[in-house]
Amino acid sequence: MRVKQLSPLEKRRIFLVLFTIILLFIGIVGKLFWIQIAATESYSSHDINLLKNSVIQRQKALVLDSGRGEILDRDLKPLTGKMIKSLIVFPINSKTQVDSQQVNQLVRILQTTKERWLDFSSHLKEPQVWSTIQDGKATALSAAQESQIRMLNLPNVKVAEMEDRYPTGMTARQLIGFIGQNPDRVMSIYGADLEKGKLAITSKIGGAGLEKTFDLWLRGVGETSISYFTDAGKRPLAGLDARMIAPDNSFYPVKLVTTLDGGIQQQIEALMDQMQIRDGAVVVQDAVQGDIVAMASRPNYEPTQVDLASNNWSNYALKATAPGSIFKTVVAAAALDEGVVNPKETFNCEGALGKYGFTCWLRGGHGPLTLEQGFAQSCNIVFAKVMQRLTAAKLESYAHKLGVLNEVGWTGKTDTKQILHQLDAEESGQLFGAHTPHDDEGVLMQTAIGQRDVMLTPLQASNMIVTLLHDGKGYSPRVVKEIRYQTDRVMETFSPKVLESEDGRVSAATSRTLLNWMKEVVTEGTGQGLKGAKWQLAGKSGTAQIQNGKQEKVNQWFIGYGPAASPQYAVSVVVKNLNPSESNKSIPLFKGVMNILASGSSGR
């Protein structure tokens, strides 16, 4: 059989194929050499440490501290929890010997049962913190428990400090807010940090409240975790078992120092719960410059288990709602400053106006009243007749002057030149609806008594009192006064700001007149339920009829100040969505809040 001779061209092709295969083989060998020996600590342009990552594959870690900044009250007491001693339990190979007697001792120390402990520890796939309650929060250990557990020297447990950011009993939850995952927001706001690897798409960021508005500062520079290293058989590596990994930076996390009084906040929330306030808010402001001392909202919620659909996490102190007769303060200010009413002039209330179906809350009528008396008795007929002498434009102007139409919370530039709104999701007030005819007399009369389309927030209401206490000069209320480094060196300061309006200010004379009339509300008018309080008080009541679905409900308000002789605080309270037949809760709530403030002031 004759063997065919290869042509020179065919021989050349075979040579090239073999040469290419040899080059590929050399390339693969070289790549393996580079990965396994030459570049184990700096692989690729991203400087990936392969040695480190090979260990991480067998590393079990648990975050102990998010590295997030603290939120403190004005006395530097923590509002967002504290560090607690907790028991970290690691998953290890079941063949690793754990003395049964040691387990029994541990069970006694933890004050649990052996069944509960074995059920918890034997099914772990990742490190977990020991918890005796269903929500999974770490159980705080006493110093004695810590000492006894350390002496046992068990291979699968370790006592460590852990952050309890949202502890049971935490107050000011709606104001402080919560953190959570929000990939879309991470990409839109922190895209640069995402590219640099400073945070992941799944990183938790501020979702509401101060946690959201101050997220840029609170995020910190890294978390603290405890890691447990095992070999391929999940056996602890000698000398490399449990290790703490934390950022090396003495300046972080920062401290957010608020204007809140934690003790007063706690007492007010306890009072609201005691009174079974289902839906409402309380705002307390310092009369000196309008700083927020307390801000409470109900219903409450759990920051670690947020149901976004429920709105329980929403801060109702910053949400606009129908004000009812507290809005008569704005009408009275306009009437006095514009001089449309003679102080001695009387208006006759017969219980009904005789048109538009407009009536007074007192069915039989009040009889002849001056504007001053009409304010004390909250007479609808008096204010309807006064409104006939004002225009929609004038009323709107005075609403602006008293700060009940715009957002009033502290807003300004920070040292980083960013515009900061301290209060998250604060709403504006409203005078007229989008399609409401402003020149309709019936509409104006309903508007004058805080009905129809009128809306304002509890913060705007209390801040209106602060404005009157300063002869018409308003303040933009702060809730955060400074940010400090961990070393207590001040990073940012937020100075008090005057709230300016293009419409100017209510006159000092009118401001003082209205404050005096508020005293009469308590001594002779609708606020007589405040008699007997620890301080002599002054203010204005309000009840707004609202429609909640097909049901008729009411909002009950009281706004005012105390003590009447030398004001220290401005307060607004609203109890929302009550049945019209329910007894008044706003006046007892206001009285209780003021009594808390009176007790707190005497103790300072």
Side-chain angles (χ1 to χ4, degrees):
M1 183 176 177
R2 186 178 179 183
V3 179
K4 182 182 179 182
Q5 296 291 322
L6 296 175
S7 68
L9 180 60
E10 288 174 322
K11 290 179 180 179
R12 185 177 179 184
R13 286 175 177 172
I14 292 171
F15 172 78
L16 288 174
V17 169
L18 291 173
F19 183 73
T20 302
I21 291 172
I22 291 170
L23 285 178
L24 287 172
F25 180 77
I26 292 172
I28 292 170
V29 171
K31 187 72 170 180
L32 289 171
F33 173 82
W34 180 258
I35 292 173
Q36 294 186 25
I37 299 173
T40 54
E41 297 192 23
S42 183
Y43 175 65
S44 85
S45 61
H46 298 286
D47 291 330
I48 298 173
N49 191 318
L50 296 175
L51 279 177
K52 179 180 178 181
N53 279 275
S54 69
V55 174
I56 288 175
Q57 287 179 1
R58 295 188 294 274
Q59 172 190 350
K60 305 298 183 181
L62 178 72
V63 175
L64 300 178
D65 186 348
S66 65
R68 200 165 178 84
E70 300 175 274
I71 301 178
L72 312 174
D73 77 355
R74 64 186 185 184
D75 296 320
L76 306 183
K77 295 177 181 177
L79 294 170
T80 45
K82 59 184 178 180
M83 301 299 289
I84 61 172
K85 294 289 186 179
S86 56
L87 184 68
I88 313 302
V89 187
F90 298 93
I92 60 173
N93 192 306
S94 58
K95 294 181 181 179
T96 302
Q97 293 299 313
V98 178
D99 187 86
S100 178
Q101 188 177 354
Q102 287 180 308
V103 172
N104 291 336
Q105 288 178 294
L106 180 62
V107 165
R108 284 195 297 270
I109 294 168
L110 295 177
Q111 298 175 358
T112 186
T113 64
K114 191 170 183 177
E115 291 75 17
R116 169 80 174 87
W117 169 256
L118 291 176
D119 182 62
F120 176 83
S121 61
S122 60
H123 298 93
L124 294 181
K125 294 183 179 180
E126 298 292 337
Q128 283 192 29
V129 60
W130 168 250
S131 174
T132 56
I133 51 180
Q134 292 183 349
D135 64 5
K137 283 189 175 182
T139 299
L141 301 176
S142 67
Q145 286 176 310
E146 177 187 0
S147 175
Q148 291 166 7
I149 292 171
R150 290 188 190 280
M151 289 176 66
L152 290 177
N153 201 28
L154 287 166
N156 64 327
V157 301
K158 187 176 182 65
V159 177
E161 274 201 327
M162 188 171 193
E163 178 188 34
D164 185 14
R165 188 162 187 88
Y166 301 132
T168 303
M170 171 185 163
T171 59
R173 296 184 185 189
Q174 289 83 359
L175 177 59
I176 289 170
F178 58 86
I179 57 175
Q181 292 181 346
N182 190 332
D184 290 340
R185 193 159 176 266
V186 168
M187 286 190 291
S188 64
I189 298 178
Y190 300 121
D193 287 347
L194 200 59
E195 289 181 5
K196 294 175 183 176
K198 291 184 178 180
L199 78 167
I201 197 75
T202 55
S203 294
K204 289 185 177 182
I205 60 173
L210 297 179
E211 294 277 27
K212 181 179 179 180
T213 55
F214 285 88
D215 189 61
L216 183 66
W217 293 270
L218 291 171
R219 268 177 48 216
V221 293
E223 60 193 25
T224 297
S225 63
I226 186 169
S227 298
Y228 204 74
F229 297 88
T230 63
D231 62 16
K234 292 188 177 181
R235 293 178 293 269
L237 291 174
L240 191 66
D241 45 9
R243 291 178 57 200
M244 298 285 293
I245 300 174
D248 184 19
N249 193 317
S250 60
F251 292 95
Y252 290 88
V254 299
K255 302 173 184 178
L256 210 67
V257 183
T258 70
T259 59
L260 298 177
D261 185 309
I264 288 174
Q265 177 80 30
Q266 188 175 41
Q267 291 179 70
I268 288 174
E269 293 198 30
L271 174 65
M272 294 177 77
D273 293 338
Q274 181 185 333
M275 292 184 62
Q276 299 181 340
I277 305 298
R278 301 184 299 270
D279 193 351
V282 173
V283 178
V284 179
Q285 288 181 257
D286 186 338
V288 176
Q289 54 195 21
D291 286 343
I292 297 169
V293 177
M295 181 177 278
S297 179
R298 285 295 180 272
N300 217 342
Y301 81 110
E302 176 53 60
T304 58
Q305 299 173 344
V306 181
D307 179 7
L308 294 177
S310 73
N311 272 340
N312 289 0
W313 55 272
S314 187
N315 188 353
Y316 288 142
L318 304 175
K319 301 304 176 187
T321 189
S325 293
I326 65 168
F327 187 75
K328 291 172 181 174
T329 308
V330 178
V331 180
L336 291 171
D337 256 11
E338 294 298 315
V340 299
V341 175
N342 186 310
K344 296 181 180 180
E345 180 181 4
T346 60
F347 303 84
N348 193 40
C349 171
E350 296 178 349
L353 186 66
K355 54 182 176 179
Y356 312 121
F358 192 94
T359 61
C360 186
W361 65 267
L362 187 62
R363 186 169 298 179
H366 288 98
L369 296 171
T370 63
L371 179 56
E372 179 178 355
Q373 292 169 328
F375 187 84
Q377 300 299 329
S378 200
C379 176
N380 291 346
I381 303 302
V382 169
F383 279 84
K385 292 181 176 180
V386 169
M387 192 62 225
Q388 290 177 319
R389 305 178 186 184
L390 295 167
T391 64
K394 284 294 181 186
L395 186 61
E396 186 172 12
S397 173
Y398 280 87
H400 279 296
K401 289 179 182 183
L402 289 170
V404 297
L405 295 185
N406 304 320
E407 297 173 21
V408 296
W410 197 99
T411 300
K413 285 188 177 180
T414 65
D415 289 348
T416 58
K417 308 303 180 186
Q418 290 186 322
I419 297 296
L420 170 70
H421 298 271
Q422 287 198 357
L423 297 169
D424 176 41
E426 180 190 2
E427 293 183 353
S428 300
Q430 176 180 280
L431 193 58
F432 299 107
H435 304 292
T436 300
H438 298 188
D439 56 351
D440 182 277
E441 186 180 64
V443 167
L444 288 175
M445 288 180 177
Q446 287 290 331
T447 302
I449 61 171
Q451 291 286 168
R452 184 76 190 197
D453 304 322
V454 185
M455 305 274 278
L456 57 87
T457 70
L459 178 61
Q460 290 168 336
S462 61
N463 205 54
M464 176 170 65
I465 300 295
V466 175
T467 301
L468 295 174
L469 290 171
H470 287 269
D471 292 339
K473 180 178 75 173
Y475 280 93
S476 189
R478 298 181 302 174
V479 72
V480 174
K481 57 183 179 181
E482 63 186 20
I483 303 173
R484 298 185 182 186
Y485 290 108
Q486 190 63 215
T487 58
D488 276 331
R489 178 184 169 188
V490 175
M491 175 198 284
E492 293 252 14
T493 300
F494 307 102
S495 301
K497 291 184 65 175
V498 173
L499 191 64
E500 298 291 354
S501 168
E502 294 180 359
D503 293 271
R505 299 176 181 173
V506 171
S507 70
T510 289
S511 297
R512 292 168 193 159
T513 297
L514 289 173
L515 292 173
N516 283 326
W517 287 6
M518 288 182 182
K519 295 177 184 177
E520 293 180 37
V521 170
V522 175
T523 57
E524 303 170 22
T526 55
Q528 293 186 59
L530 296 174
K531 290 179 178 179
K534 292 182 179 180
W535 281 337
Q536 183 182 348
L537 304 173
K540 182 73 187 78
S541 63
T543 301
Q545 283 74 42
I546 60 172
Q547 199 74 21
N548 190 344
K550 294 183 178 180
Q551 294 183 315
E552 289 187 4
K553 299 286 186 178
V554 295
N555 289 341
Q556 295 176 354
W557 290 79
F558 202 91
I559 63 174
Y561 62 94
S566 180
Q568 294 183 36
Y569 298 100
V571 173
S572 72
V573 306
V574 60
V575 185
K576 299 171 60 179
N577 296 318
L578 290 170
N579 292 322
S581 60
E582 289 188 69
S583 61
N584 188 287
K585 288 190 173 182
S586 62
I587 290 177
L589 179 58
F590 184 89
K591 184 177 182 178
V593 169
M594 280 298 189
N595 283 342
I596 289 169
L597 295 171
S599 298
S601 296
S602 61
R604 279 188 170 272

